Amino acid sequence: MRRMMIAGNWKMNTDRSSGTALAAGLASHVAGKNLTADVLVAPPFPYLEAVRETLGSSGIQLGAQNCSSEAEGAYTGEVSVGMLQDVGCQWVILGHSERRHILKETDSFINQKTRLALSKGLGVILCVGELLEEREASQTDEVLDRQMAGGLAEVSAADLSNVIIAYEPVWAIGTGKTATPDMADDAHAHIRGWLAENYDEDAANSMRILYGGSVKPSNAAELLGQPNVDGALVGGASLTVDNFGPIIDAGLSADKS
Ligand code: 13P
């Protein structure tokens, strides 16, 4: 029903040589396997093209970590949706907590990028997630509702089919602290409920919701086994074949379709 996705967010890591070596290692890892799940890597902008060439016909998809809120023009330093598509990206990660909290991106700015990407046919992986103090103050659901409503404002039901949600509790990102499988499933179920209320049951049931935050080979299978968890968005553990390979395999075995 919902095809799993295992996505690697390389963040600001790798260089040309290590990035292409990682891509080559992942391509060999999946070679000959039946890709029953989507597998995606999101390298830094400068290496997108080299990584795409290295991935070749492996079936591994390419994503970017951000895009401009504007289509083209005098926006020094920005990278447009069209440029990302031109180098072979099928997806862009938007609303990542590092961009929300370090770079101060707001829900409305994230929404502008989301609508632009979708209008041009680029898939969006929209990240949402609460801070530790918000969880401790029992505000998780409220934060998720606000980020969902903000990020998806004026996104049509038709465009929603090109969106994936990634639930990434901020306190679990890069900290080694993982949400328990129950905590992840509860948050995912809440997000699905929001979709049912604000779109419809079909939209809620077909939405893929990935979990992100200290996913590693030792916890991947259990997280992916939760009924509302449809994949993983992996940071640190996506940077080596030794770690990301087994997470991909867990995704292939967790196929719920
Ligand atoms: P870690 O897997 O390093 O915790 O990062 C998660 C993340 O932010 C993926 O986007």
Side-chain angles (χ1 to χ4, degrees):
M1 210 179 60
R2 292 191 297 264
R3 189 175 159 86
M4 283 261 159
M5 175 182 269
I6 305 297
N9 174 8
W10 295 3
K11 307 191 180 182
M12 201 169 69
N13 295 298
T14 69
D15 56 20
R16 176 180 290 271
S17 144
S18 64
T20 49
L22 175 55
L26 293 173
S28 317
H29 183 85
V30 300
K33 295 189 177 167
N34 181 13
L35 284 187
T36 50
D38 288 341
V39 180
L40 168 92
V41 292
F45 288 138
Y47 309 129
L48 282 169
E49 196 152 25
V51 166
R52 189 209 60 208
E53 278 164 17
T54 305
L55 292 173
S57 57
S58 63
I60 299 177
Q61 300 172 37
L62 191 70
Q65 300 173 22
N66 185 32
C67 68
S68 173
S69 59
E70 303 296 331
E72 64 179 337
Y75 299 98
T76 303
E78 291 292 271
V79 176
S80 74
V81 168
M83 291 168 188
L84 298 180
Q85 291 174 307
D86 201 19
V87 296
C89 290
Q90 289 125 298
W91 296 95
V92 61
I93 298 170
L94 294 177
H96 192 278
S97 73
E98 286 146 19
R99 300 203 65 87
R100 288 178 188 269
H101 298 292
I102 303 170
L103 294 158
K104 309 293 177 210
E105 290 196 5
T106 62
D107 281 316
S108 73
F109 189 51
I110 294 162
N111 176 250
Q112 225 179 310
K113 298 184 194 195
T114 299
R115 283 187 290 135
L116 180 65
L118 293 173
S119 74
K120 297 193 176 291
L122 183 65
V124 170
I125 300 175
L126 175 66
C127 303
V128 296
E130 81 287 359
L131 298 164
L132 181 59
E133 57 262 37
E134 291 166 335
R135 174 161 283 269
E136 286 174 347
S138 304
Q139 290 167 350
T140 300
D141 290 352
E142 184 185 324
V143 171
L144 295 178
D145 290 351
R146 187 175 67 234
Q147 293 177 342
M148 290 290 289
L152 295 177
E154 290 172 56
V155 169
S156 69
D159 276 346
L160 200 66
S161 61
N162 214 8
V163 174
I164 290 177
I165 303 296
Y167 169 62
E168 299 205 310
V170 181
W171 47 271
I173 296 178
T175 58
K177 289 185 199 156
T178 317
T180 64
D182 279 351
M183 275 162 125
D185 200 61
D186 282 353
H188 288 216
H190 180 82
I191 291 167
R192 225 179 274 296
W194 185 93
L195 289 163
E197 234 171 77
N198 291 277
Y199 287 86
D200 55 36
E201 288 291 337
D202 262 7
N205 289 331
S206 53
M207 176 59 75
R208 292 189 280 178
I209 307 178
L210 315 184
Y211 169 78
S214 299
V215 176
K216 39 193 182 240
S218 59
N219 60 21
E222 201 185 356
L223 285 160
L224 296 173
Q226 300 307 303
N228 285 294
V229 177
D230 310 309
L233 180 55
V234 187
S238 73
L239 294 172
T240 63
V241 180
D242 280 356
N243 283 320
F244 200 48
I247 299 174
I248 293 173
D249 296 343
L252 300 180
S253 328
D255 176 28
K256 296 171 190 161
S257 57

